[in-house]
Amino acid sequence: MRSKTPAAVFLYFCFSASSLFSLGAGDGAKEAEQQIRDPVWTLTITAFDTSALSPSNAALAQNIMRDLAGYIGKVSYRLRVSEEYAHHEGLARRTDLAAAALALVNKRNERDRLIYRGEQKWKYRRDVKAIEAEIKKLEEDYRTIQAAEILIETEPEFTLSTQNLEGLFPAPPAAGEEAQFCRNQKLDALIVGTMSEYHDRIYVTHKLYVAYLDSYVFQDSILFSSEGMTEAIEEFAGGITLAITGLDPADLRISTQPEEAQVFLDYAYAGRGEISSPGRSPGTVILEVFADNHEGVMAELDLKGGELAEVQVNLRPVETSALNITVPGAEEAAVYRGSLYMGQTPITVDLPAGVLEYVFVETPGAEEAKAIFLSPSPDALPPAIRTGRKGGLFAGFFPSGASLDGNNLSLVTGLPYDPKEGRVDKTRRGSYWAWGGVWVSAISAWLINGHYNSVVNAYNNNPNRTEEFYNKAVQLRTIDYVGVGLVCTAVVLDIIQMIRYINTAGKDAPVFVD
């Protein structure tokens, strides 16, 4: 009698495996149901109506649009209120139910079409049974979706549309077609606006449409001149940003010491001394404060919605020393510290002590001089005279230079090269040709020397030496000497051309006074 134990064990493992697979599938479905939906909130800025602008301001309108997109693009997320959350939850549920219902209807239609195939009864009953099982599964899925909890992202990531990120702005939809436009473009919101002129100023209006309300929820306008465009766009974009984020605005108040310190917010000039910036978007703002003869400060501030942030900035003064700048033989030469105009020579300026400085002077006769030096320290011992000359290897041939004697900087000017003359390009090409000549002459001399050595060896090893053979060897020796001489001449010429190129290229370079 055969044992039934192996068969029972096999059936047990099959049942266990099917149970495990079904449990795994159930866990996967549960995880899919718990997936957070709509993690991104997309907005597009449509092209503003600029038909009322003059042709001279038409190009300015494009800059305004791009700057507006740049400011709005800094928004990182939006806070979804309960009404918007419910809208997205209902939309997600309707989408899922529609897909499940469509699959169920298609499967029922497939079952109904079986009767028209004319198949045998046993095959018909088998197919009907299989489809009935699938229909029951689809009906269960439909009921599961009805009862399932749908999670929607409460703080979705904000992003501009792909067109806006590429610097393009689509045409706005016609009135009443905003909802269809958003559905087609898969948008959550859009901005429409107009630009016109009013007494040589630009008047901009805009409206923010949100899809979940199917209406415009924010409208604003601003009037500004082209000189104040940056500040106006920042203020203009601030209101839109607050409407997008759904947060309360934050207020910022800054006080500086010294009072004449310059304040920058997000790399844009905000003013001097005490600054008040109400109605800002919550989030991170970069604060920079600078003042002459003081150490600058840069910091990141985290602004909270509905709160006032007060910041007191006390800049640390730096030690300064007076520097007298003169140009012998030239009065009233313009003096620049970097790109900042300081005055005319002779002049005394206060500079931070012990730091590298760059000074540029230009005489009324268009002569120039540039110098880089370490500014003197008032507490240091009197230093020896520090000199610097330009002209590279042939410094003595160039009159331009500088010397620093304690707190006295003296600069010698010279006429710069005219770029139209192309001196640097000419000397560079000359050095390249000389370098190529070295290679050509060296290879030629090597080939000649090899031929000469071959003839000499043949002559020495040939017992039947002739006078003609001897004369040929002498001629080749002369040619060999000439080849060596050409190589030496090419090397010397190449060195001269390189020195000429280095000095020509460095003639207008700043003098380093050390």
Side-chain angles (χ1 to χ4, degrees):
M1 182 176 181
R2 298 179 60 183
S3 173
K4 296 183 180 180
T5 302
V9 172
F10 174 75
L11 292 175
Y12 171 76
F13 277 110
C14 289
F15 176 79
S16 300
S18 62
S19 300
L20 289 174
F21 280 119
S22 63
L23 288 174
D27 292 341
K30 185 176 182 180
E31 289 178 2
E33 292 174 359
Q34 296 299 320
Q35 181 182 4
I36 297 179
R37 312 282 284 273
D38 298 332
V40 178
W41 201 85
T42 307
L43 173 138
T44 192
I45 304 174
T46 62
F48 284 18
D49 181 8
T50 59
S51 58
L53 287 179
S54 62
S56 59
N57 286 327
L60 186 62
Q62 290 296 321
N63 294 334
I64 293 174
M65 296 292 296
R66 284 192 291 268
D67 291 345
L68 180 62
Y71 277 106
I72 295 178
K74 296 178 182 178
V75 177
S76 58
Y77 70 94
R78 169 182 170 83
L79 182 64
R80 276 201 175 110
V81 296
S82 57
E83 186 176 359
E84 182 180 0
Y85 187 97
H87 167 80
H88 282 272
E89 182 183 18
L91 181 62
R93 191 181 303 278
R94 289 193 298 272
T95 301
D96 293 347
L97 287 175
L102 179 62
L104 182 58
V105 169
N106 291 336
K107 188 58 65 175
R108 286 174 175 172
N109 291 337
E110 182 183 353
R111 180 193 58 185
D112 296 339
R113 287 193 296 269
L114 286 178
I115 195 172
Y116 300 105
R117 292 183 181 179
E119 295 177 343
Q120 298 178 359
K121 283 188 176 181
W122 67 269
K123 190 174 183 180
Y124 171 76
R125 286 195 297 269
R126 183 199 64 185
D127 294 342
V128 167
K129 184 177 180 182
I131 293 179
E132 286 288 352
E134 294 181 12
I135 290 176
K136 288 183 179 179
K137 178 63 172 61
L138 291 174
E139 290 175 345
E140 182 181 350
D141 291 343
Y142 187 86
R143 289 190 294 268
T144 301
I145 292 173
Q146 283 183 313
E149 178 185 6
I150 297 180
L151 300 179
I152 303 297
E153 179 61 65
T154 57
E155 294 183 2
E157 177 187 357
F158 173 84
T159 182
L160 290 174
S161 65
T162 304
Q163 289 180 298
N164 287 171
L165 294 176
E166 295 175 352
L168 303 175
F169 303 95
E177 298 180 3
E178 294 87 354
Q180 185 63 40
F181 181 86
C182 288
R183 283 194 294 269
N184 294 340
Q185 302 290 331
K186 296 182 180 180
L187 301 171
D188 293 280
L190 60 89
I191 294 176
V192 299
T194 61
M195 295 187 193
S196 58
E197 296 181 13
Y198 180 78
H199 293 286
D200 297 329
R201 295 189 176 188
I202 299 176
Y203 182 65
V204 181
T205 64
H206 76 279
K207 297 187 295 183
L208 173 65
Y209 172 90
V210 292
Y212 82 93
L213 290 176
D214 191 16
S215 65
Y216 290 94
V217 297
F218 180 79
Q219 182 174 351
D220 196 7
S221 61
I222 191 169
L223 179 69
F224 59 92
S225 62
S226 57
E227 292 79 8
M229 185 178 71
T230 302
E231 293 79 6
I233 293 177
E234 182 179 1
E235 178 183 349
F236 185 55
I240 304 176
T241 301
L242 292 175
I244 291 172
T245 58
L247 301 175
D248 294 330
D251 295 333
L252 177 62
R253 185 179 302 159
I254 302 169
S255 300
T256 67
Q257 191 59 239
E259 295 181 356
E260 66 273 12
Q262 301 182 66
V263 180
F264 294 81
L265 295 174
D266 285 335
Y267 308 108
Y269 179 71
R272 292 179 178 269
E274 186 169 336
I275 304 297
S276 180
S277 181
R280 295 191 65 88
S281 301
T284 301
V285 61
I286 298 177
L287 169 66
E288 296 173 292
V289 182
F290 303 99
D292 290 339
N293 300 325
H294 289 76
E295 294 182 5
V297 170
M298 183 178 71
E300 289 188 359
L301 307 178
D302 187 17
L303 303 183
K304 304 294 184 181
E307 297 182 2
L308 169 64
E310 293 185 286
V311 181
Q312 174 68 40
V313 180
N314 297 319
L315 298 182
R316 180 185 301 172
V318 297
E319 187 180 26
T320 61
S321 61
L323 181 69
N324 304 314
I325 302 176
T326 58
V327 177
E331 299 295 333
E332 298 183 353
V335 179
Y336 298 85
R337 179 189 175 197
S339 61
L340 179 64
Y341 176 73
M342 304 296 292
Q344 294 181 335
T345 59
I347 186 175
T348 301
V349 295
D350 290 328
L351 300 177
V355 298
L356 280 176
E357 292 286 349
Y358 170 76
V359 171
F360 167 73
V361 297
E362 183 179 20
T363 67
E367 293 187 355
E368 298 177 356
K370 310 167 188 174
I372 298 174
F373 57 93
L374 193 66
S375 59
S377 176
D379 297 332
L381 295 175
I385 297 177
R386 294 181 286 166
T387 60
R389 302 191 62 82
K390 62 182 177 180
L393 298 176
F394 290 152
F397 291 95
F398 296 96
S400 300
S403 63
L404 182 62
D405 181 8
N407 287 52
N408 300 307
L409 176 65
S410 178
L411 297 167
V412 180
T413 59
L415 286 174
Y417 285 143
D418 186 355
K420 296 180 181 179
E421 296 179 4
R423 292 193 182 186
V424 176
D425 290 335
K426 291 178 182 178
T427 55
R428 181 172 59 244
R429 287 195 296 269
S431 67
Y432 289 163
W433 277 106
W435 178 241
V438 170
W439 279 96
V440 171
S441 60
I443 294 173
S444 300
W446 175 67
L447 293 174
I448 293 172
N449 182 261
H451 185 51
Y452 167 69
N453 289 330
S454 298
V455 171
V456 170
N457 291 332
Y459 178 81
N460 292 331
N461 297 324
N462 188 359
N464 299 320
R465 302 183 180 92
T466 64
E467 185 177 355
E468 183 181 358
F469 205 173
Y470 175 79
N471 292 335
K472 182 177 181 181
V474 172
Q475 290 177 355
L476 286 175
R477 181 179 62 186
T478 304
I479 296 174
D480 183 49
Y481 288 162
V482 171
V484 173
L486 287 176
V487 172
C488 295
T489 302
V491 170
V492 172
L493 180 62
D494 181 51
I495 294 174
I496 293 174
Q497 288 291 345
M498 284 194 294
I499 294 175
R500 183 167 171 259
Y501 169 55
I502 291 172
N503 284 277
T504 303
K507 181 179 181 297
D508 291 335
V511 180
F512 188 79
V513 183
D514 57 355

